[in-house]
Amino acid sequence: MMKKLLTPALVLALSFSVLFAACASEFDNLEPVTLIMADGAAKGAVANLWSELFVEKLAEITNYKLNVEYHGNSELGGDKDIITQMQGGTVDMCAMQSMNVVSFIPELGVFELPLVFAKYDAATIDKVVKPGSKFFDALNESFRGAGFELIDYLQGGTYREMSSNKPAKTLEDFKGIKIRTLTSEYQVSFWQNLGCVPTPLDFSELYTSLKDGVVEAEENAIDTQVNSKFYEVQKYLILTHHVLYGNLLYMTKEKYDSLAPAYQEAISTAALMTSAELQAQLKDINDNAQEVMTANNVEVIELSNEVIDDMIKATEETSKLIRKNIGGEICDLLINSLAEEAK
């Protein structure tokens, strides 16, 4: 099934790589360029893996004429710090989750529509969010309006999930749980509407806050939870599927537009090739991380479809808030595209 899913992307990427190999002289005649890339992802997280692989592939494609100086693991600061540096022209590109970019590109709030992806598989989602789709093109217009160029989107049908020191198997169980959330107003609204007590905290404070009982729960991709050793201070992993675990690759529009067309094509090809390669691993990364959690005595709670439906109904006000802030057009495009591709 995964092979069938990846075949179109891989075929296209490999076709481009053959083209570039045949046109090596095109790069030989171009001036060398070095891009500055950064991310705030933990070592081993998907954004970090994607960045490292992208850097390597881009250099190979361009015969090492277009290179990337990569600063990972928050070396240049957190995600918002990096975006600010991109706006200032000192960082050219990055890979990060969409929620961290919403304050700069409001339309990315569409990814926070409660559980909007929860009932679709990776293949269906990919048809909607990858380059060439109507939704991707509409999203990129928003990026361009903010001074950026969206290059690619990577997901594997995995999600940010909740971990907690209290179990939650029904909607009622969420009530009163003190959960660390991002500062996103949509995430705060979502957890409030479920009955939790959301508490925005800096990620660097989270482990200690869980250990000391300042908060009882948090939500992150499972591999992030493992890399941060949250299994040492959490008892339950609750598969809420509330937000798709996806990563954006994008760069400043000014830098992108300054590059020769061959370099622009190389960036797109390197992104496509590496996202296809990583996508084949994402489910395994997620499953392996879940196994690490269970091996460390964390109980996994899988929510029923009925509970998922209850959660969607309970968080309707969050959906209304997102629509009010970014408009219904982009929301409807995503929802309708998913439904159409699932037929």
Side-chain angles (χ1 to χ4, degrees):
M1 182 175 178
M2 184 63 70
K3 183 177 180 181
K4 182 178 180 182
L5 164 62
L6 294 176
T7 296
L10 280 174
V11 168
L12 181 58
L14 291 172
S15 296
F16 275 126
S17 67
V18 170
L19 174 62
F20 282 121
C23 301
S25 61
E26 185 175 7
F27 296 111
D28 293 339
N29 294 330
L30 294 176
E31 289 295 319
V33 174
T34 298
L35 302 174
I36 306 299
M37 182 178 189
D39 65 49
K43 185 70 175 176
V46 171
N48 166 251
L49 296 175
W50 194 12
S51 297
E52 291 182 340
L53 193 58
F54 171 81
V55 168
E56 178 183 339
K57 189 62 66 177
L58 183 62
E60 291 175 358
I61 288 174
T62 61
N63 293 330
Y64 298 89
K65 296 298 291 292
L66 181 55
N67 295 290
V68 178
E69 180 183 313
Y70 172 54
H71 302 270
N73 198 25
S74 299
E75 184 180 333
L76 299 184
D79 287 336
K80 291 188 177 180
D81 298 319
I82 292 167
I83 298 171
T84 300
Q85 291 171 66
M86 291 177 73
Q87 291 178 320
T90 57
V91 173
D92 300 314
M93 66 188 313
C94 67
M96 62 179 63
Q97 295 182 60
S98 60
M99 285 190 294
N100 300 318
V101 197
V102 171
S103 59
F104 299 87
I105 304 173
E107 289 79 4
L108 284 171
V110 70
F111 285 100
E112 296 184 63
L113 287 168
L115 296 102
V116 67
F117 296 101
K119 295 184 179 181
Y120 296 102
D121 60 22
T124 299
I125 297 170
D126 235 21
K127 292 175 183 177
V128 174
V129 301
K130 296 293 281 186
S133 72
K134 291 180 180 179
F135 176 73
F136 184 94
D137 290 345
L139 207 57
N140 199 16
E141 286 304 309
S142 298
F143 270 78
R144 289 169 177 166
F148 301 104
E149 182 75 18
L150 180 59
I151 306 298
D152 199 3
Y153 188 87
L154 169 63
Q155 63 84 34
T158 60
Y159 300 86
R160 293 177 70 98
E161 311 284 13
M162 178 184 184
S163 70
S164 175
N165 281 322
K166 291 183 176 179
K169 298 180 180 180
T170 68
L171 184 62
E172 185 69 23
D173 294 338
F174 286 95
K175 292 183 178 179
I177 295 178
K178 294 183 293 183
I179 182 170
R180 179 267 182 181
T181 66
L182 297 172
T183 55
S184 161
E185 66 173 319
Y186 305 139
Q187 288 304 294
V188 171
S189 170
F190 173 80
W191 293 106
Q192 280 180 335
N193 283 316
L194 286 182
C196 295
V197 181
T199 306
L201 286 172
D202 189 271
F203 187 78
S204 62
E205 303 172 12
L206 182 51
Y207 181 95
T208 301
S209 296
L210 289 168
K211 183 178 181 180
D212 294 344
V214 175
V215 291
E216 302 163 303
E218 60 84 47
E219 57 80 40
N220 266 293
I222 306 177
D223 65 314
T224 300
Q225 296 182 30
V226 167
N227 292 331
S228 302
K229 297 185 178 180
F230 291 156
Y231 51 77
E232 295 178 345
V233 289
Q234 296 279 258
K235 296 178 181 178
Y236 302 95
L237 174 64
I238 304 161
L239 303 183
T240 46
H241 287 14
H242 57 281
V243 174
L244 183 70
Y245 183 24
N247 283 274
L248 305 156
L249 181 67
Y250 66 104
M251 61 187 302
T252 64
K253 186 166 177 18
E254 182 178 3
K255 177 60 73 171
Y256 180 83
D257 289 344
S258 74
L259 297 174
Y263 280 159
Q264 293 177 351
E265 288 284 341
I267 288 171
S268 295
T269 300
L272 180 62
M273 294 178 70
T274 53
S275 63
E277 182 175 337
L278 267 180
Q279 188 183 56
Q281 305 172 32
L282 291 183
K283 188 176 186 304
D284 287 340
I285 290 172
N286 190 75
D287 291 347
N288 290 340
Q290 186 168 316
E291 288 178 6
V292 172
M293 296 287 277
T294 56
N296 282 275
N297 300 314
V298 175
E299 181 182 337
V300 177
I301 297 175
E302 188 167 355
L303 302 178
S304 67
N305 286 335
E306 289 75 19
V307 173
I308 294 294
D309 288 337
D310 289 342
M311 293 170 67
I312 293 173
K313 185 174 181 179
T315 56
E316 286 178 350
E317 289 303 315
T318 303
S319 296
K320 291 178 182 178
L321 174 63
I322 294 172
R323 285 179 174 273
K324 177 184 176 181
N325 287 351
I326 70 175
E329 186 175 353
I330 189 73
C331 297
D332 290 337
L333 180 58
L334 174 59
I335 292 168
N336 293 337
S337 296
L338 287 167
E340 181 64 27
E341 293 297 346
K343 291 181 180 178

